[in-house]
Amino acid sequence: MVRWIAVFVLLPVLASAQEAFQLPSGNIHCAVHDGSLRCDVLNFTYQRPPRPRSCDLDFGGAVEMRAQGAAALICHGDTVANPMAPVLGYGQAWQGRGMTCTATPQALRCVNADGRGFEMARSRLLLF
């Protein structure tokens, strides 16, 4: 007689909900943590902005914004890239926490409740 044994694995759960997505190219990844949306472009061809003197880490490929206020480039030593994150297909939008991101084959455009945001692509980065 064959007996089946069910095995349950408990994985740690983050104290705060974290949402994440990536574009179909796998080159742009975003995640929400503590009310901030951060998006990273892994490979880019646009001219890297000048690194602030206070930044000893990577600069120019990661943007962060909240539901209100301006988006900003951040100094970072990590990434939000997660190859297991759900894919936000071209023509689809992600909404959450007072922000909306729309994916197209040309770029990812994210806007907050103030109408501020950014447009990110391999070839360009625009903060508005």
Side-chain angles (χ1 to χ4, degrees), residues 23-24 28 88-92 101-110 118-126:
L23 267 55
I28 296 177
L88 180 65
Y90 297 133
Q92 294 181 331
C101 294
T102 306
T104 70
Q106 293 77 34
L108 174 69
R109 182 179 176 86
C110 297
F118 63 91
E119 195 169 289
M120 176 181 274
R122 181 181 306 271
S123 61
R124 74 181 179 283
L125 178 63
L126 171 68

Side-chain angles (χ1 to χ4, degrees), residues 26-123:
N27 192 43
I28 296 177
H29 291 252
C30 299
V32 174
H33 186 69
D34 290 337
S36 290
L37 171 70
R38 174 177 162 183
C39 293
D40 294 3
V41 58
L42 303 181
N43 297 298
F44 57 89
T45 59
Y46 57 82
Q47 184 174 349
R48 185 183 305 266
R51 179 188 322 268
R53 287 185 177 159
S54 61
C55 179
D56 291 332
L57 302 170
D58 198 12
F59 186 78
V63 175
E64 189 171 72
M65 79 173 182
R66 299 182 72 77
Q68 296 180 313
L73 287 165
I74 61 170
C75 179
H76 62 96
D78 61 357
T79 182
V80 296
N82 175 0
M84 302 305 291
V87 173
L88 180 65
Y90 297 133
Q92 294 181 331
W94 170 89
Q95 292 184 331
R97 304 179 194 269
M99 297 168 276
T100 301
C101 294
T102 306
T104 70
Q106 293 77 34
L108 174 69
R109 182 179 176 86
C110 297
V111 180
N112 66 15
D114 288 342
R116 309 287 299 272
F118 63 91
E119 195 169 289
M120 176 181 274
R122 181 181 306 271
S123 61

